[in-house]
Amino acid sequence: MTAKASDVPSTAARLALEPHPEGGWYRQTWRSPVDVTLPDGRVRPTATLIWFLLPAGDSSAWHRVASDELWLAHTGEVALELGGSGAVPEAVERHVVGVGATQVSQLLVPAGVWQRTLPGEQEALVSCVVSPGFDFDDFALHEG
């Protein structure tokens, strides 16, 4: 997806982020040089790291990743819903990722658990560490 320059949030432009298929903006900033072979034969880096920007009022679609994902807060806050690991997501937990007194600054989303972000009143910037490393082959969007 290519966004017009006028549609790119200033933080996304400054950090050279691209639109993410789930919503929001991202860029991979690190990929471990060490690979691991998983029990099913897939080869992945041991970990990857991205910037993830969620502009004010934006949200992400329900999605899941086949690896553990650790969210790390930088600026703003992100309301993150976890939807279990069934065939379809069902909102069962809600966390606010941020650096405020009532927020969590780090949150682990276990492998295979549905997740989505909810719209916020301000821009939020987080990092996400995925281990074993992220690959779009291991990513599923919920269509519905």
Side-chain angles (χ1 to χ4, degrees), residues 29 39 43 73 78 80 87 95:
T29 58
V43 176
V78 176
L80 184 66
H95 303 274

Side-chain angles (χ1 to χ4, degrees), residues 9-141:
S10 62
T11 302
R14 183 172 50 82
L15 296 174
L17 306 181
E18 299 178 7
H20 198 292
E22 76 192 40
W25 298 77
Y26 83 107
R27 177 171 58 91
Q28 187 176 90
T29 58
W30 177 74
R31 178 184 178 94
S32 173
V34 178
D35 286 340
V36 61
T37 301
L38 302 176
D40 63 6
R42 293 176 296 141
V43 176
R44 299 290 182 263
T46 54
T48 55
L49 174 67
I50 66 166
W51 285 115
F52 181 71
L53 175 73
L54 196 62
D58 280 5
S59 61
S60 69
W62 281 112
H63 64 284
R64 62 180 168 187
V65 178
S67 298
D68 287 344
E69 183 171 0
L70 182 62
W71 286 60
L72 308 167
H74 295 294
T75 62
E77 62 182 46
V78 176
L80 184 66
E81 280 190 333
L82 303 183
S85 56
V88 296
E90 296 181 28
V92 293
E93 289 181 51
R94 185 175 182 271
H95 303 274
V96 178
V97 179
V99 294
T102 61
Q103 303 160 348
V104 295
S105 57
Q106 300 178 357
L107 179 70
L108 176 66
V109 178
V113 170
W114 290 104
Q115 59 180 296
R116 71 174 174 182
T117 60
L118 302 174
E121 295 179 12
Q122 61 183 345
E123 176 180 274
L125 179 66
V126 299
S127 289
C128 294
V129 178
V130 177
S131 180
F134 181 82
D135 188 294
F136 273 105
D137 286 343
D138 302 333
F139 174 81
L141 272 174

